[in-house]
Amino acid sequence: MTSEPTSPTEPGIAPDTVALAKVVARQRAEMERLRDLAATSAVLERAVGAVMAASGCSPDAARETLAQGAKAARRTLLEECWLTLGRLAPPPVAAQTSGSPEYETFPRPAAESGSEMPGEAASPDDVAAALGRLGRALVRVGGSQDLAECLLEHLAPDTGADTVVLYARRPSGGLELVGHAGLDDSLADQWRHVPPLPGFPAFDALRDREPHWLEDTGDDRRASVGLPPWHHRSQAWLPVPAANADDVCVGVLRPHPGPFTPRHREHLRGAALLCSGPLRLFGPGQEDSGTGGTAEASPRSVFDALPVAALLLTPLRSPAGRVEDYRIDAATPQAGDILGRPHDELAGRRLLESCPPMGREPVWRGCLRTLSTGEPYEGAPFAHQEVVAGIAELSTYAVRVTRLDGRLVLTWLRHDASDLQEQRLADLQRLGSLGWANWNLVTQEAAWSSQVFTLFGREPVHGPVRLAELSDLALPEDAPALARAVDTLLETGRPFDLPVRVRAAGAVRHLRIVAEAVEDMSGTPVEVHGVVQDLTARRRVELALDESERAILTQHDVLRAERTLAARLQHALLPLPKRSMRLAGLHVEVAYLPAQSGVNVGGDWFSAIELPGSEALFVVGDVAGHGIDAVATMAQLRFTAKGMIITGSSLTGALTRLNRLLLHSRDSHGTATMVLARYQPEGRRLVWAQAGHPPPLLLRDGVASFLDRPRGVLLGASATPVFDEGECLLRPGDRVLMFTDGLVERPEEPIDRGLERLARVVEAHGGHTDSPLEPVLAVMLEEERRDDVCVLDIRVPDDVPDEVRPQ
């Protein structure tokens, strides 16, 4: 759970309200975290399925293959999943024959051959960390536009880029801009479709199947290579390998000239390679709706199909909230004719820039009124001269303004009494999935547009129903509310806006019915105008979202119950001593700290017992994974290791048998690491062996150092492992720390850096035999942990004689 900082209650706000707001904030944060967890799991499961389909192995084997591949290449598991998904599509022929090896695998961390600059080399750790962050961010990407924005966010701090563009090659041979970030919309529209221009860098990169680095694109260079008139002085163009049937090229643009350093090149290559996975899932130029259906048409495509002169306007407000202008988001071709410029050049421009007189006309005030009240505005007719087939004609128009989800639709209505105008209105209703209805209360006549018949699923031959019978068309659950709204409209003239469900074409359809009354001089309603709109698609999305949220909450409860059960099982199997122990003349303290976040219990464990002959056995282990399975495997290893050593097995022999146990036991849980140490009081001899575990830390005379690790691989990873023993002769006042990796690991940081930090902290806070362990833990664990921590603190008293006689 995410905690919220405590702040004093503001004057006038009840404490209960503040507490409730904090609860809501925490629940929202938890829901967001669970959504990220679900998205990450979905990517992992898709990659597992890809490996299973390719090799025919089991799900567990596929997961192990992904984990081993990520570890071998020093990648995160998410990066390995994205690369695996990207390899599903066969690479283009050019990529197979070019002989360029840099896109066959994920190169890390080698720099480009021959590209090192004096005094600078690639930083593999920085590049690996940056690519790891990008891999995690890609789980939220739902389309190529999101991908471009995600790339710019993660590449800009390192490379200095301010623009990212994605071009996809189409069957016609040209390129299409399928995603962009940092580029002006009007400029993007001008370069959305690029014909096969010679020298255009995206074409060259896709042809050669290797990156093209343009490190100084001045005006002369820009004209010579066919670059667009953008302000960027250095550019990198990298093809995405095997993204889909269409070739995709990533352009990373910087406003300043200069070379791309080896680290920048490695970073950009890795980012382009990671893009292959997301592009393989949703395809270039497509957006993932998240519901399995097709995405809705964009406003520009809808307006391109409208047969009337119309603009879609977004208000632009000053810091004080006053509307200063409107941005034209979409325009029909007819609107371009009225404003005197092509309609595709209007998108993105300001309304007063395209039509300055508009700010002095009554239509400006009408727009403000419609924006604030929601009531449509229709201005007085006016004359407009237009040129048709080279002949100037005078036409009469009226401007109508309606509000649409915080924006305005401004329409020029031409006053023509022809069938063409009727057809245009019919097309508008069909594209908007809405229709009009009219009821004359005096003559009892009714008139519906053809779209209303379609929405209600009623045959036109049966005619429209009377207003009083409209509720008969609704489902029984919604009919009473619609009947009451109609009665109130007829009695008081109060308009209504009501959602209603009807059954049409064998399925339930969600409609929105809006109606208002027209009154005579005495205030009596004499006519009713209504609009019916189909909201079925939107309602289905809302229901799907509600169902998904309920499923997430249910999964959260299941995971929380599993954590509680695992924690109780772990406490029963791994009881912690309440005070320090004395074994074979040594003082031993144990610290076990569970992770601060997450819903699973880890498999960290320890064992400290006295053996026959007054010797002592110390064990620290860590089982891969979390949950009940990890706790069960932990118990199996803990008790088996103790039994083997007590019955006379050597340390290396016990590790060999435990490795065989994990490999051949169906109840085992993957892999585990372990370190075993046997202490012999006579001679103060500490013999130890390890299986893929961090070495113990020895503090002697105020200097901390790690014991030299003998050979040993993690348990369950190999059928023929080799284990060796190491030896250390302790002295009075020595201190030995045995610990699990949760003490030193940090996200996106190599473990060597964590080990160095531990040595410095122990030297600073544990220099004496009687120094407590708590200050060391407090400094090492000041950040939020993702894993459990287990520590054995073994101390040799200062007063121990040179020869300790067995008891």
Side-chain angles (χ1 to χ4, degrees):
M1 295 290 290
T2 303
S3 61
E4 297 291 331
T6 304
S7 58
T9 304
E10 297 180 5
I13 300 179
D16 293 342
T17 304
V18 176
L20 181 58
K22 292 180 179 180
V23 172
V24 172
R26 287 196 299 268
Q27 290 177 343
R28 287 178 176 173
E30 179 68 5
M31 183 67 68
E32 189 69 18
R33 192 185 65 79
L34 290 174
R35 283 196 179 103
D36 288 346
L37 180 61
T40 302
S41 300
V43 174
L44 175 60
E45 291 304 321
R46 285 180 174 179
V48 168
V51 175
M52 292 171 59
S55 62
C57 63
S58 65
D60 291 340
R63 290 187 179 91
E64 186 63 20
T65 298
L66 291 172
Q68 294 295 336
K71 181 178 180 181
R74 296 186 63 198
R75 292 190 287 263
T76 64
L77 183 58
L78 261 180
E79 291 175 84
E80 186 69 16
C81 293
W82 285 127
L83 297 179
T84 300
L85 293 173
R87 288 191 292 266
L88 291 180
V93 175
Q96 298 174 359
T97 59
S98 64
S100 177
E102 59 184 294
Y103 283 105
E104 297 173 3
T105 59
F106 197 150
R108 184 181 297 172
E112 182 176 333
S113 177
S115 61
E116 288 79 359
M117 300 182 65
E120 182 175 7
S123 176
D125 293 337
D126 292 346
V127 172
L131 293 176
R133 291 191 295 269
L134 177 60
R136 289 191 300 273
L138 290 178
V139 300
R140 286 178 168 265
V141 170
S144 54
Q145 181 62 32
D146 290 347
L147 178 59
E149 295 172 358
C150 181
L151 287 175
L152 180 59
E153 178 183 355
H154 286 78
L155 295 178
D158 179 47
T159 64
D162 66 347
T163 301
V164 170
V165 293
L166 298 177
Y167 272 104
R169 182 153 49 193
R170 293 313 186 197
S172 61
L175 295 180
E176 180 182 359
L177 183 64
V178 296
H180 64 89
L183 191 65
D184 183 72
D185 288 340
S186 61
L187 195 58
D189 287 341
Q190 297 177 20
W191 288 86
R192 186 167 302 278
H193 299 282
V194 180
L197 296 175
F200 192 84
F203 282 108
D204 297 339
L206 291 175
R207 179 198 63 211
D208 300 334
R209 303 306 301 171
E210 63 181 12
H212 277 228
W213 314 98
L214 307 180
E215 299 176 335
D216 187 5
T217 57
D219 294 338
D220 296 337
R221 168 68 171 161
R222 199 184 309 276
S224 63
V225 300
L227 289 172
W230 302 338
H231 69 278
H232 307 91
R233 294 293 304 275
S234 57
Q235 307 178 15
W237 297 87
L238 305 97
V240 178
N244 210 327
D246 298 315
D247 291 338
V248 178
C249 186
V250 179
V252 181
L253 315 178
R254 304 189 302 186
H256 54 82
F260 288 87
T261 66
R263 177 169 58 86
H264 292 164
R265 297 193 179 198
E266 292 300 331
H267 193 175
L268 295 178
R269 284 196 190 91
L273 189 57
L274 280 180
C275 292
S276 61
L279 288 173
R280 177 63 180 84
L281 295 181
F282 50 70
Q286 301 178 10
E287 299 297 327
D288 189 357
S289 64
T291 61
T294 57
E296 297 181 358
S298 66
R300 293 186 184 181
S301 62
V302 172
F303 272 63
D304 285 342
L306 290 177
V308 296
L311 298 176
L312 180 61
L313 306 176
T314 295
L316 303 177
R317 301 180 182 272
S318 65
R322 184 173 60 88
V323 177
E324 294 181 332
D325 203 343
Y326 296 87
R327 184 183 69 244
I328 302 176
D329 292 338
T332 63
Q334 294 82 353
D337 296 338
I338 292 178
L339 297 179
R341 65 176 63 200
H343 76 287
D344 53 357
E345 295 182 7
L346 292 174
R349 293 181 177 271
R350 295 188 173 218
L351 180 62
L352 295 182
E353 174 188 356
S354 303
C355 186
M358 190 78 72
R360 301 186 297 271
E361 296 176 354
V363 67
W364 182 267
R365 295 188 295 273
C367 290
L368 295 177
R369 187 182 68 183
T370 300
L371 191 62
S372 60
T373 65
E375 298 179 0
Y377 164 82
E378 186 165 353
F382 65 94
H384 174 71
Q385 182 174 321
E386 55 187 355
V387 178
V388 180
I391 302 176
E393 295 183 356
L394 196 63
S395 302
T396 301
Y397 286 87
V399 175
R400 180 175 175 82
V401 182
T402 55
R403 192 171 70 181
L404 177 65
D405 294 334
R407 294 189 284 186
L408 296 178
V409 177
L410 188 149
T411 309
W412 286 271
L413 302 177
R414 186 171 182 174
H415 287 213
D416 291 331
S418 63
D419 293 339
L420 180 60
Q421 183 69 9
E422 294 294 333
Q423 182 61 43
R424 289 176 176 176
L425 293 176
D427 292 339
L428 179 62
Q429 295 179 73
R430 176 176 52 82
L431 293 172
S433 193
L434 52 85
W436 59 265
N438 185 71
W439 291 274
N440 190 314
L441 304 181
V442 178
T443 64
Q444 299 300 317
E445 295 178 349
W448 286 3
S449 68
S450 59
Q451 191 66 19
V452 173
F453 285 99
T454 302
L455 296 180
F456 279 111
R458 182 177 178 85
E459 293 294 335
V461 295
H462 299 153
V465 300
R466 296 189 303 170
L467 185 61
E469 301 172 350
L470 187 62
S471 60
D472 296 339
L473 301 178
L475 294 183
E477 298 85 350
D478 298 344
L482 180 58
R484 288 192 298 269
V486 171
D487 293 340
T488 302
L489 174 68
L490 297 178
E491 294 172 2
T492 65
R494 183 186 305 169
F496 67 84
D497 186 339
L498 194 67
V500 175
R501 291 174 296 172
V502 301
R503 186 170 296 278
V508 175
R509 182 172 289 167
H510 297 263
L511 304 179
R512 175 192 179 195
I513 302 178
V514 182
E516 63 178 5
V518 178
E519 301 175 346
D520 59 10
M521 298 295 294
S522 62
T524 302
V526 294
E527 192 172 11
V528 174
H529 300 156
V531 175
V532 182
Q533 183 180 12
D534 188 1
L535 301 178
T536 303
R538 180 186 302 179
R539 184 56 181 161
R540 286 175 180 172
V541 172
E542 294 174 353
L543 294 175
L545 180 59
D546 292 341
E547 183 179 354
S548 176
E549 291 179 350
R550 288 194 298 269
I552 290 176
L553 292 176
T554 301
Q555 182 67 17
H556 179 269
D557 293 340
V558 172
L559 294 176
R560 183 169 55 186
E562 180 182 342
R563 173 181 173 83
T564 302
L565 176 60
R568 292 177 179 176
L569 178 61
Q570 185 186 51
H571 181 72
L573 297 175
L574 191 66
L576 296 177
K578 297 182 179 179
R579 60 180 62 90
S580 62
M581 301 179 292
R582 188 172 180 85
L583 300 175
L586 302 176
H587 292 286
V588 181
E589 289 189 9
V590 179
Y592 185 89
L593 300 173
Q596 296 175 351
S597 63
V599 295
N600 284 318
V601 175
D604 294 25
W605 58 279
F606 73 94
S607 184
I609 61 173
E610 191 161 324
L611 298 174
S614 299
E615 297 182 351
L617 173 67
F618 303 104
V619 188
V620 171
D622 186 1
V623 176
H626 298 81
I628 296 177
D629 291 340
V631 174
T633 303
M634 174 270 292
Q636 186 182 39
L637 293 177
R638 182 172 186 262
F639 293 115
T640 303
K642 289 167 55 177
M644 289 181 180
I645 301 301
I646 291 176
T647 56
S649 294
S650 64
L651 301 182
T652 56
L655 290 177
T656 302
R657 292 180 177 87
L658 291 175
N659 180 75
R660 191 177 303 116
L661 176 66
L662 284 184
L663 286 176
H664 299 287
S665 175
R666 293 184 178 180
D667 299 330
S668 64
H669 187 74
T671 59
T673 66
M674 185 186 304
V675 58
L676 299 91
R678 181 197 297 267
Y679 177 71
Q680 300 172 356
E682 185 174 358
R684 292 190 293 271
R685 183 169 176 261
L686 183 71
V687 180
W688 67 288
Q690 61 87 26
H693 201 87
L697 176 67
L698 173 64
L699 179 64
R700 174 175 292 171
D701 298 331
V703 178
S705 61
F706 291 94
L707 301 183
D708 294 335
R709 292 180 67 194
R711 287 188 299 174
V713 297
L714 75 164
L715 301 178
S718 173
T720 57
V722 177
F723 299 104
D724 291 337
E725 291 184 351
E727 180 178 337
C728 177
L729 299 180
L730 301 181
R731 303 175 186 174
D734 282 355
R735 187 174 186 178
V736 178
L737 291 184
M738 298 171 60
F739 53 90
T740 57
D741 55 8
L743 182 65
V744 295
E745 280 190 340
R746 294 291 182 273
E748 303 167 359
E749 178 184 87
I751 192 171
D752 291 344
R753 190 173 300 173
L755 294 174
E756 294 174 358
R757 181 170 53 251
L758 175 61
R760 293 194 303 269
V761 172
V762 171
E763 289 177 351
H765 298 276
H768 301 284
T769 306
D770 56 351
S771 299
L773 182 61
E774 285 75 11
V776 175
L777 298 178
V779 175
M780 292 298 298
L781 305 178
E782 59 184 359
E783 300 179 2
E784 182 177 350
R785 303 185 305 279
R786 297 185 180 182
D787 200 359
D788 296 353
V789 174
C790 181
V791 181
L792 278 181
D793 185 6
I794 306 169
R795 309 180 189 185
V796 183
D798 292 329
D799 56 353
V800 173
D802 292 339
E803 295 183 358
V804 179
R805 199 176 290 174
Q807 299 179 357

